[in-house]
């Protein structure tokens, strides 16, 4: 596993699953994000993400005649909804931690 890029709206990772004999690139692109205030300690967040899985080196995968490998990309759009809960310090109101439930 390698993470060559990580921003709030895009994450790219390189994966080598057991038995795959190939390295894959997975890109997660945030298409839409929306949040909704519940109360002073809770809010909902909904995100729509496009997942793109492809061979890490498409040129090598398509020209390897001895063991041809899949050279196409797989696309999937995923929506997640999460409830975030803020736990505050009782004395000064500072944030101790944030919990997420999906």
């Amino acid at each position: 596993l390698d993470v060559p890029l990580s921003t709030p709206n895009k994450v790219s990772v390189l994966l080598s699953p057991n038995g795959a004999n190939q390295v894959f690139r997975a890109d997660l692109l945030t298409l839409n994000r929306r949040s909704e205030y519940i109360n002073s300690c809770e809010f909902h967040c909904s995100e729509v993400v496009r997942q793109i899985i492809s061979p890490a080196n498409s040129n090598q995968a398509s020209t390897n005649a001895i063991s041809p490998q899949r050279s196409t990309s797989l696309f999937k759009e995923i929506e997640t909804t999460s409830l975030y809960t803020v736990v505050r310090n009782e004395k000064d109101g500072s944030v101790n931690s944030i919990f997420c439930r999906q």
Side-chain angles (χ1 to χ4, degrees):
L1 174 67
D2 184 26
V3 182
L5 176 68
S6 180
T7 71
N9 295 315
K10 182 177 181 180
V11 175
S12 295
V13 295
L14 296 175
L15 305 166
S16 181
N18 288 337
N21 298 324
Q22 186 175 3
V23 176
F24 294 95
R25 179 184 177 102
D27 294 312
L28 300 172
L29 308 161
T30 302
L31 303 176
N32 191 13
R33 183 179 292 125
R34 183 176 67 90
S35 62
E36 182 178 312
Y37 174 82
I38 305 295
N39 59 45
S40 64
C41 293
E42 294 181 319
F43 66 94
H44 281 119
C45 183
S46 174
E47 291 184 316
V48 177
V49 176
R50 179 172 292 145
Q51 172 186 290
I52 305 168
I53 308 293
S54 59
N57 185 346
S58 296
N59 293 336
Q60 180 183 4
S62 62
T63 60
N64 188 347
I66 296 172
S67 65
Q69 297 172 340
R70 181 180 206 136
S71 62
T72 60
S73 296
L74 301 174
F75 297 88
K76 184 190 302 185
E77 288 191 3
I78 304 161
E79 181 176 4
T80 59
T81 303
S82 305
L83 173 65
Y84 291 91
T85 304
V86 176
V87 178
R88 297 189 180 277
N89 183 311
E90 292 180 14
K91 293 180 182 176
D92 63 7
S94 63
V95 176
N96 284 344
S97 59
I98 299 175
F99 293 100
C100 175
R101 187 175 70 192
Q102 292 185 326

